[in-house]
């Protein structure tokens, strides 16, 4: 190659490096500042993750607007008994949070308690006996003993946005007023759920991001034996982490528990691309000890640019397919991660060539001297220990044994995949917040306390809708709501029922004409029509925009991981709907609340996950077909890429382990990552095949070239996120272990299954066709 050409190329690399360095200088401050700003927007509300145009979400939004009872915090402690002064004192202690101040708005819309409701029901006009009142409030505001009660605080919009601070203040205020230690003040409800998820999600990033980066950097240095190349990879990966969070801020969405796995994922994908490029450079340096550093860099870029872009493209497709998921955070995750991968690869391509040049010049004289002294051709011109070569030979020898029996190996992997695939129909998802925490966590302890001392805690709602011209007598409407309430109270696993029936006596029979019945009916009618009555003040009756009257009936299920809430909720629906259908035309129920929102989110998550994975699989398969120029070859090449995903997710189904919000994205991500190794391997295999080597020989040669990059990327990308496995927050922990398992399975698929496929009869579909030579002509 002419010297001038190399000099021009060296200048080009230096210019690119300067451009990349300028980009780093611009992006680094933005990443640092805006990633912190993004984290400050942390807000988790699974009920709001569904699209606004979905019927179940629209019903939930309409319900929340009319009744405003979803953001209620329940506060309890041992000794909070009906009649105890501490209950009223605790409620009064929270009143400062109801009043706005000069530096903040009101954090609470109102404060109540089981004691206050008890006093209202035992006073005129209802004047229930204490025994009857305890029975009406049992399971919702009063415990099974008829004595234990709770304090209720309804959060305002401002309070919800600052719920971690408000929750801490509420506990502190109650603790100081009643003299009970703060750790013995128990809370439950959406505000405390969201506050704890916010705190744990943000804590996962704060505690484990830096250790994960350090572990990744140490492994990278250990593998590449180059501080310069490692520094470039880690700097780009860290900037990618920060910018991925900054893009959350720029997109206008709030940070949440799904998006917290963006930083480790971007780090993994960036490190993978960087290590592959560095190994192409190492191959170039090893192939010719006298090669110029610029020539080695140019050779590395020429060999690596296509497979790296193809690998990045498949990864971007895998991530982008998550945009098909209707849960807003998941679709945002897919688009932001895909954009981050594209950006970090561009930055690597700007910076790494210049770093390779500098690195090669620094070590060229030293290693040429070592080569001349040893007079051996296999000395690595880079400062790499002999163990790397030994590991490479070990991999090759191990794979060679498998390649002796390719049909058996392929059959074995097929059997494993088929068995695991049988578990896919049993796969479930979970967005249940208490399940995101370990058994001994604060949220689990608090929920257990409420379940034991008050009643069930998993909320659901039935809203009975009366059109203006249907059942015009309010007493008749109340009778129907009473019947539904009574039916729910007698239903197995249903507790904590609360409705208009809790505030009013049971109306007399329509046939009764006694004076007592007339007086009782008049009293009920007055409370139903009086806007200042306790019933109206409690907000269990509302009028919608169409003039329909809506009667709210709240009920709860116990928190138990063994309960199938979908089935139980459907059973409630099947029992309530016939009662309302028999009451008259136009009367209809609406079912909303925590349970249907959670089950709908889980259904959407599972359905869309499958759809997005199929879309990603189809597009990646087309890319593989184009790369191999063979329809059948493209399908065969996808088998090693399906193996990790089907095996791990199918096993989760067989073990009845639900997918949570931390692991649900890894299916499409795993497909993209697994294809990386396959593309690099097949690119080398085809190159060796074109040189006339047999499939087995070409496969071993490809493994020799790609093997180091494969196990290095697996080491860095599987072990560094494993640090997040130390988190107590289950989604973060599950993501770490899933990524480790998927990357390990992808490595097994690429170094064992793929070579066996190439050595088997199917390998002919993956082998490039050599052009036929034209027969010699004679004159």
């Amino acid at each position: 190659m002419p010297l001038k050409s190399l000099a021009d190329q060296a200048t080009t690399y230096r210019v690119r490096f300067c451009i990349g360095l300028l980009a780093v200088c611009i992006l680094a401050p933005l990443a640092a500042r805006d990633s912190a700003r993004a984290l400050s927007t942390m807000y988790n509300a699974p009920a709001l993750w569904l699209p606004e145009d979905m019927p179940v979400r629209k019903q939930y939004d309409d319900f929340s607007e009319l009744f405003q009872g979803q953001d209620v915090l329940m506060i309890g402690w041992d000794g909070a008994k009906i009649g105890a002064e501490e209950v009223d004192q605790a409620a009064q202690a929270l009143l400062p949070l109801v009043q706005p101040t000069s530096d903040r708005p009101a954090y609470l819309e109102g404060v109540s308690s089981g004691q206050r409701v008890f006093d209202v029901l035992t006073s005129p006009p209802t004047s229930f006996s204490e025994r009857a009142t305890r029975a009406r409030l049992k399971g919702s505001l009063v415990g099974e003993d008829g004595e234990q009660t709770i304090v209720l605080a309804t959060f305002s919009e401002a309070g919800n946005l600052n719920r971690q601070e408000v929750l801490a203040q509420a506990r502190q205020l109650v603790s100081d007023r009643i003299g009970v230690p703060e750790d013995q003040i128990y809370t439950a409800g959406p505000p405390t759920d969201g506050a704890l998820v916010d705190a744990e999600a943000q804590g996962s990033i704060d505690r484990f991001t830096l250790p994960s980066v350090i572990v990744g950097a140490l492994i990278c240095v250990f593998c590449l034996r180059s501080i310069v190349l490692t520094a470039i990879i880690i700097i780009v990966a860290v900037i990618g982490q920060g910018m991925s969070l900054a893009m959350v801020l720029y997109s206008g969405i709030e940070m949440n528990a799904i998006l917290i796995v963006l930083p480790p994922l971007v780090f993994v994908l960036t490190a993978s691309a960087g290590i592959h490029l560095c190994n192409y450079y190492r191959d170039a340096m090893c192939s010719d000890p006298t090669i110029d550093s610029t020539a080695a860099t140019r050779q590395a870029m020429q060999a690596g640019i296509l497979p790296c872009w193809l690998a990045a493209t498949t990864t971007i497709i895998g991530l982008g397919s998550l945009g098909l998921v209707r849960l807003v955070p998941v679709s945002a995750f897919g688009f932001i991660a895909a954009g981050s991968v594209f950006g970090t690869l561009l930055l690597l391509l700007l910076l790494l060539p210049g770093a390779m040049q500098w690195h090669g010049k620094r070590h060229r004289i030293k290693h040429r001297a070592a080569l001349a002294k040893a007079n051996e051709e296999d000395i690595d011109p880079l400062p790499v220990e002999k163990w790397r070569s030994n590991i490479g030979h070990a991999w090759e020898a191990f794979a060679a044994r498998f390649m002796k029996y390719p049909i058996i190996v392929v059959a074995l992997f097929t059997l494993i995949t088929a068995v695991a695939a049988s578990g896919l129909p049993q796969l479930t998802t979970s967005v249940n917040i208490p399940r995101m925490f370990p058994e001994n966590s604060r949220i689990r302890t608090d929920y257990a306390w409420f379940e034991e001392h008050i009643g069930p805690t998993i909320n659901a709602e039935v809203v009975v809708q009366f059109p203006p011209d249907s059942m015009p007598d309010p007493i008749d409407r109340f009778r129907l709501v009473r019947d539904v309430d009574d039916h729910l109270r007698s239903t197995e696993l249903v507790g904590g029922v609360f409705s208009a029936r809790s505030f009013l006596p049971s109306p007399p029979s329509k046939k009764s004409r006694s004076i007592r019945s007339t007086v009782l009916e008049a009293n009920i009618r007055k409370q139903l029509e009086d806007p200042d009555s306790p019933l109206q003040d409690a907000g269990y009756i509302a009028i919608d925009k169409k003039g329909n009257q809506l009667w709210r009936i709240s009920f709860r299920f116990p928190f138990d991981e063994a309960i199938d809430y979908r089935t139980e909720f459907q059973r409630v629906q099947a029992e309530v709907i016939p009662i309302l259908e028999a009451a008259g035309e136009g009367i209809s129920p609406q079912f909303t609340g925590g349970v249907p929102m959670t089950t709908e989110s889980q259904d959407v998550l599972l359905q869309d996950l499958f759809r997005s994975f199929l879309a990603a699989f189809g597009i990646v398969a087309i890319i593989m077909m184009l790369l191999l120029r063979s329809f059948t070859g493209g399908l065969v090449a996808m088998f090693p890429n399906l193996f990790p995903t089907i095996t791990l997710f199918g096993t989760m189904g067989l073990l009845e382990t639900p997918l949570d919000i931390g692991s649900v994205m890894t299916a499409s991500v795993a497909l993209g990552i697994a294809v990386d190794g396959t593309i690099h391997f097949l690119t080398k295999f085809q190159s060796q095949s074109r040189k006339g080597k047999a499939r087995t020989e070409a496969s071993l040669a490809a493994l020799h070239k790609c093997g180091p990059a494969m196990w290095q990327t697996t080491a860095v990308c599987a072990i560094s996120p494993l640090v997040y496995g130390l988190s107590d927050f289950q989604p973060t922990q599950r993501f770490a272990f899933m990524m480790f398992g998927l990357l390990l399975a992808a490595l097994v698929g690429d170094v064992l299954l793929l070579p066996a496929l190439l050595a088997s009869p199917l390998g002919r579909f993956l082998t490039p066709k050599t052009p036929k030579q034209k027969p010699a002509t004679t004159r």
Side-chain angles (χ1 to χ4, degrees):
M1 183 177 295
L3 184 60
K4 184 178 179 181
S5 179
L6 280 179
D8 290 343
Q9 190 71 68
T11 301
T12 300
Y13 288 149
R14 284 194 292 269
V15 170
R16 289 180 183 174
F17 185 85
C18 291
I19 295 173
L21 199 59
L22 179 62
V24 167
C25 292
I26 294 173
L27 293 175
L30 289 176
R33 183 194 68 184
D34 294 339
S35 61
R37 290 174 60 195
L39 289 174
S40 68
T41 67
M42 183 73 69
Y43 186 80
N44 287 278
L48 304 180
W49 290 349
L50 289 169
E52 294 182 359
D53 58 351
M54 287 191 67
V56 65
R57 168 69 188 274
K58 191 175 184 307
Q59 286 185 359
Y60 182 86
D61 289 343
D62 291 344
F63 172 84
S64 299
E65 182 181 352
L66 288 169
F67 293 102
Q68 300 179 348
Q70 289 300 292
D71 299 318
V72 175
L73 176 70
M74 299 185 291
I75 305 173
W77 64 92
D78 292 326
K81 306 288 186 180
I82 292 294
E85 294 182 0
E86 290 84 354
V87 178
D88 280 337
Q89 291 174 357
Q92 291 172 5
L94 295 174
L95 292 179
L97 298 178
V98 179
Q99 302 299 325
T101 65
S102 58
D103 58 345
R104 65 159 178 81
Y107 283 155
L108 300 180
E109 290 184 350
V111 178
S112 186
S113 67
Q115 179 67 60
R116 291 186 180 180
V117 176
F118 181 89
D119 292 342
V120 166
L121 295 183
T122 53
S123 302
T126 51
S127 300
F128 292 141
S129 67
E130 291 190 3
R131 180 179 178 182
T133 303
R134 286 183 169 88
R136 289 171 180 270
L137 301 182
K138 189 175 293 184
S140 55
L141 297 176
V142 174
E144 285 296 321
D145 61 357
E147 298 292 335
Q148 181 73 54
T149 189
I150 55 176
V151 173
L152 303 175
T154 304
F155 276 49
S156 66
E157 183 177 351
N160 255 322
L161 295 176
N162 299 274
R163 54 194 178 189
Q164 291 188 54
E165 175 190 347
V166 178
L167 179 63
Q169 287 187 31
R171 281 178 171 155
Q172 187 64 52
L173 289 170
V174 172
S175 174
D176 292 344
R177 178 64 67 90
I178 65 176
V180 175
E182 192 174 339
D183 61 353
Q184 295 178 24
I185 303 293
Y186 304 100
T187 60
T192 191
D193 294 351
L196 289 174
V197 173
D198 293 348
E200 283 298 323
Q202 188 163 353
S204 294
I205 294 179
D206 294 341
R207 291 192 297 271
F208 299 110
T209 297
L210 182 58
S212 176
V213 170
I214 292 173
V215 169
L218 292 175
I219 298 174
C220 201
V221 170
F222 187 69
C223 292
L224 298 178
R225 296 303 171 100
S226 170
I227 294 178
V228 174
L229 298 178
T230 297
I232 294 296
I233 293 173
I234 298 302
I235 288 172
V236 174
V238 170
I239 289 176
Q241 287 184 310
M243 288 308 298
S244 68
L245 294 178
M247 287 171 68
V248 174
L249 180 70
Y250 302 152
S251 66
I253 63 176
E254 294 157 331
M255 195 68 190
N256 55 62
I258 289 179
L259 296 173
I260 63 168
V261 298
L262 263 174
L265 179 66
V266 171
F267 181 90
V268 162
L269 298 174
T270 305
S272 174
I275 290 172
H276 274 291
L277 281 171
C278 288
N279 272 272
Y280 282 106
Y281 166 68
R282 175 183 180 274
D283 289 342
M285 294 288 285
C286 290
S287 64
D288 182 3
T290 63
I291 193 170
D292 182 85
S293 59
T294 300
T297 301
R298 182 175 185 171
Q299 186 176 323
M301 298 305 292
Q302 287 176 342
I305 192 72
L306 178 60
C308 280
W309 271 116
L310 286 174
T313 300
T314 57
T315 303
I316 289 170
I317 289 170
L319 292 167
S321 69
L322 292 172
L324 297 174
V325 178
R326 285 169 289 175
L327 292 187
V328 176
V330 178
S331 60
F333 176 96
F335 290 130
I336 292 173
S340 300
V341 169
F342 180 78
T344 54
L345 180 58
L346 284 178
L347 204 51
L348 283 174
L349 292 176
L350 287 173
L351 291 170
L352 273 179
M356 290 173 183
Q357 275 188 298
W358 186 87
H359 178 272
K361 289 179 180 179
R362 182 182 175 188
H363 294 285
R364 183 174 53 183
I365 298 176
K366 175 182 175 181
H367 290 284
R368 281 179 178 174
L371 180 65
K373 183 178 179 180
N375 195 25
E376 296 177 3
E377 295 182 357
D378 60 347
I379 294 294
D380 188 348
L382 296 181
V384 182
E385 298 291 342
K386 197 171 183 178
W387 62 270
R388 287 182 62 182
S389 178
N390 293 337
I391 291 178
H393 290 309
W395 271 117
E396 293 168 40
F398 188 57
R401 294 192 185 96
F402 277 74
M403 292 172 68
K404 291 180 181 179
Y405 313 99
I407 296 178
I408 295 176
V409 173
V410 172
L412 179 62
F413 273 90
T414 303
L415 178 63
I416 293 172
T417 306
V419 171
S422 67
L424 292 177
Q426 304 171 42
L427 194 62
T428 59
T429 58
S430 173
V431 293
N432 185 286
I433 287 181
R435 289 180 180 176
M436 298 179 186
F437 297 85
E439 291 289 342
N440 60 349
S441 61
R442 176 66 190 262
I443 189 171
R444 294 270 194 147
T445 302
D446 285 12
Y447 267 87
W449 186 90
F450 278 95
E451 293 277 341
E452 179 181 356
H453 292 85
I454 300 296
T457 54
I458 308 300
N459 169 262
E461 306 278 349
V462 178
V463 178
V464 182
Q465 177 178 285
F466 294 96
D469 57 349
S470 177
M471 200 176 283
D473 189 346
I475 299 293
D476 291 336
R477 295 182 177 185
F478 176 56
R479 287 191 177 97
L480 179 59
V481 171
R482 176 204 59 187
D483 293 342
V484 175
D485 183 300
D486 288 344
H487 192 82
L488 289 173
R489 290 175 186 269
S490 63
T491 302
E492 185 180 3
L493 295 180
V494 174
V497 183
F498 207 76
S499 69
R501 188 195 190 288
S502 304
F503 294 88
L504 300 174
S506 186
S509 170
K510 288 185 177 182
K511 297 180 180 180
S512 177
R513 293 292 183 268
S514 65
I515 296 177
R516 182 177 179 278
S517 297
T518 303
V519 172
L520 177 59
E521 186 171 309
N523 184 29
I524 294 173
R525 191 183 302 277
K526 179 180 179 181
Q527 293 189 61
L528 289 174
E529 296 173 348
D530 185 359
D532 297 324
S533 69
L535 170 61
Q536 297 290 347
D537 186 59
Y540 274 76
I541 301 178
I543 304 294
D544 66 13
K545 296 177 182 179
K546 297 180 180 179
N548 300 313
Q549 191 177 55
L550 308 177
W551 294 57
R552 172 187 179 185
I553 306 173
S554 301
F555 63 99
R556 300 178 191 151
F557 292 107
F559 173 69
D560 187 342
E561 295 189 18
I563 294 177
D564 182 353
Y565 292 107
R566 180 182 291 99
T567 301
E568 294 303 322
F569 191 71
Q570 289 173 347
R571 185 163 61 86
V572 168
Q573 289 177 303
E575 294 176 356
V576 169
I577 289 175
I579 298 176
L580 299 181
E581 287 179 344
E585 186 177 352
I587 301 174
S588 61
Q590 294 178 358
F591 297 91
T592 187
V595 173
M597 289 295 288
T598 298
T599 54
E600 185 69 19
S601 296
Q602 292 172 179
D603 289 344
V604 167
L605 196 57
L606 193 59
Q607 294 167 6
D608 290 2
L609 174 67
F610 180 72
R611 185 175 59 170
S612 70
F613 183 80
L614 283 182
F617 175 83
I619 298 174
V620 172
I622 292 173
I623 292 176
M624 296 299 291
M625 292 171 190
L626 295 174
L627 176 65
L628 298 171
R629 298 180 182 179
S630 168
F631 176 81
T632 307
L635 294 179
V636 172
M638 291 302 294
F639 183 24
N641 305 316
L642 286 177
F643 167 73
T645 305
I646 292 179
T647 300
L648 262 73
F649 282 82
T651 301
M652 291 181 69
L654 292 174
L655 297 177
E656 298 182 352
T657 303
L659 282 172
D660 60 22
I661 58 177
S663 56
V664 71
M665 288 84 65
T666 54
S668 297
V669 171
L671 178 63
I673 293 176
V675 175
D676 285 8
T678 303
I679 287 176
H680 286 285
F681 192 102
L682 288 176
T683 302
K684 286 295 183 183
F685 168 78
Q686 292 201 323
S687 175
Q688 295 297 319
S689 294
R690 291 189 181 97
K691 294 178 181 179
K693 293 182 180 180
R695 290 205 304 267
T696 300
E697 185 182 4
S699 182
L700 287 174
L703 187 60
H704 178 78
K705 293 286 187 180
C706 298
M710 286 181 179
W711 68 257
Q712 288 168 24
T713 54
T714 301
V716 174
C717 300
I719 296 176
S720 59
L722 206 55
V723 174
Y724 288 87
L726 299 174
S727 174
D728 289 333
F729 190 50
Q730 298 296 317
T732 305
Q733 185 186 93
R734 187 73 61 81
F735 172 81
F737 290 130
M738 285 290 292
M739 287 300 297
F740 180 83
L742 286 165
L743 287 168
L744 196 61
L747 179 66
V748 171
D750 283 332
V751 301
L752 297 181
L753 175 56
L754 185 54
L757 278 171
L758 292 170
S760 74
L762 293 172
R764 63 189 178 88
F765 297 110
L766 304 174
T767 307
K769 295 180 175 64
T770 56
K772 295 181 180 180
Q773 294 184 351
K774 294 182 179 180
T777 58
T778 59
R779 293 184 181 270

